[in-house]
């Protein structure tokens, strides 16, 4: 399933179901952990398909704080870069939303610094990290919308969802965006 919408600022938002590792955007975003140590979910899929050189680069950073992101090459993946973003572990406290928004913003700052024009995001923090998808979705999309309004260099953002309910949430939110 796929839905596309060009926003007033000129950036194309694409909402789709699929596997983030298959995206051919300039960068794909990894839902990483703060040790950049790999794991399950998106992280496991990226390292499994991208090959060991991504982890070799990750080790050089020695970690990344929650809300921030680092960039590596993309090994055998179609993308040119992997942006390893550390979303918050859901706690139910108000800081969750701030940290989740910061994670998307820092990821896009990394994309701009690396010269990327297109970026694919998974639904950060909503798997093992427990963030309710219905709360995370508007934060993800609004933060990206605000960012591209200020940084028109990003031409295309893909939101790659793993389930039909998540896809439906993103489509509903996409309709709200101008
Ligand atoms: P986090 O630890 O940040 O919660 P996860 O990787 O556990 O990250 O999950 C984030 C979201 O990504 C979940 O909705 C999960 O179902 C989804 N997901 C898992 N694997 C993939 C994949 N290969 N491509 C896209 N989304 C995926």
């Amino acid at each position: 399933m796929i839905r596309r919408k060009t926003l007033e600022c000129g950036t194309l938002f694409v909402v789709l179901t699929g596997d983030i590792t298959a995206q051919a955007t300039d960068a794909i975003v990894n839902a990483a952990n703060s040790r950049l140590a790999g794991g399950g979910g998106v992280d496991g899929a990226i390292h499994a398909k991208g090959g060991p050189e991504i982890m070799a680069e990750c080790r050089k950073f020695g970690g990344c704080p929650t809300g921030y992101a680092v960039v590596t090459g993309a090994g055998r993946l179609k993308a040119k870069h992997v942006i390893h973003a550390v979303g918050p572990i859901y706690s139910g406290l108000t800081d969750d939303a701030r940290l989740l928004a910061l994670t998307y913003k820092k990821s896009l700052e990394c994309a701009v610094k690396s010269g990327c024009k297109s970026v694919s995001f998974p639904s950060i923090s909503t798997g093992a990290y427990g963030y309710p998808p219905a709360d995370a979705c508007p934060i993800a999309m609004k933060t990206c919308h605000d960012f591209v309004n200020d940084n028109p260099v990003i031409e295309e953002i893909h939101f790659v969802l793993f389930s039909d309910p998540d896809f439906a949430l993103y489509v509903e939110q996409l309709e709200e965006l101008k």
Side-chain angles (χ1 to χ4, degrees):
M1 288 190 285
I2 187 158
R3 203 66 79 81
R4 296 181 173 85
K5 181 172 175 176
T6 302
L7 305 179
E8 283 172 4
C9 63
T11 302
L12 175 66
F13 273 23
V14 182
V15 170
L16 70 157
T17 47
D19 183 342
I20 189 110
T21 62
Q23 299 301 305
T25 43
D26 292 336
I28 61 170
V29 176
N30 182 14
N33 54 61
S34 59
R35 291 180 299 120
L36 302 178
V42 172
D43 209 351
I46 285 176
H47 288 293
K49 291 201 186 156
E53 63 198 80
I54 301 177
M55 183 53 76
E57 268 191 78
C58 279
R59 281 198 200 96
K60 293 182 192 156
F61 290 99
C64 174
T66 300
Y68 290 79
V70 299
V71 186
T72 68
R76 295 194 287 261
L77 300 173
K78 289 181 188 160
K80 299 186 189 100
H81 306 278
V82 177
I83 298 169
H84 303 266
V86 183
I89 298 171
Y90 186 71
S91 67
L93 304 173
T94 51
D95 216 31
D96 292 337
R98 182 186 69 81
L99 287 169
L100 188 63
L102 185 64
T103 309
Y104 280 90
K105 182 168 175 255
K106 290 291 169 191
S107 299
L108 289 169
E109 283 177 9
C110 283
V112 170
K113 274 188 210 145
S114 306
C116 299
K117 292 183 174 164
S118 57
V119 184
S120 295
F121 280 100
S123 178
I124 296 172
S125 286
T126 66
Y129 279 7
Y131 212 117
D135 295 335
C137 166
I139 295 169
M141 292 195 97
K142 283 179 187 162
T143 303
C144 291
H145 187 207
D146 287 347
F147 189 91
V148 294
N149 273 326
D150 296 338
N151 299 273
V153 63
I154 301 287
E155 294 171 359
E156 198 167 318
I157 299 185
H158 293 197
F159 298 93
V160 184
L161 291 323
F162 224 38
S163 74
D164 293 349
D166 285 355
F167 176 78
L169 286 172
Y170 272 74
V171 167
E172 197 182 324
Q173 191 63 45
L174 185 65
E175 280 159 12
E176 307 260 311
L177 300 181
K178 298 277 179 244

